[in-house]
Amino acid sequence: MAGIHITDIEAAINYWREQKPSPDGVTLAPEIRALAEVYALMIYYHHDEAAEKGFPPKAYDAWLGWYRTTADAPCIAICSTSQGDEECKGCGRTFEEVQYWPEMSPGEKRSTWRRITMIGTSWRFNKYAERARGG
């Protein structure tokens, strides 16, 4: 089961803070309020992930609003899984992750992004970092 990491919730909250700033320094936009409730519970219970399935609908919609602004696939068009590697040297995904990427849920994709970013050894993060940035 895919989980939504607390850092993604923080990123989504910050995204909505930029999109819909508080008019008076107190009032929160509905998206921020929905995400903040989940965030607060995660902090209270010392959880760093919340299950994607069963995520409160308003919070999930707000999270998806942020998610749609992120890059979909970590691919940098140098795929070593097509050459038989179990893990792509270009993006860091496993053969199965590359193969099933279009079928993965947003939470599953973000979990994969988190793992490959934390490891940070694929060419996306060093040798071809400028290619990954699109420039």
Side-chain angles (χ1 to χ4, degrees), residues 37-56:
E37 186 176 318
V38 173
Y39 184 81
L41 288 169
M42 291 174 74
I43 296 295
Y44 182 80
Y45 288 108
H46 304 283
H47 294 165
D48 61 356
E49 279 190 351
E52 182 178 15
K53 187 174 182 176
F55 210 76

Side-chain angles (χ1 to χ4, degrees), residues 79-89 91-99 115:
C79 191
S80 69
T81 61
S82 62
Q83 304 300 316
D85 287 346
E86 278 300 310
E87 188 175 281
C88 179
K89 290 179 179 119
C91 71
R93 292 179 292 170
T94 65
F95 176 78
E96 289 78 19
E97 289 166 340
V98 171
Q99 184 179 14
R115 180 183 54 76

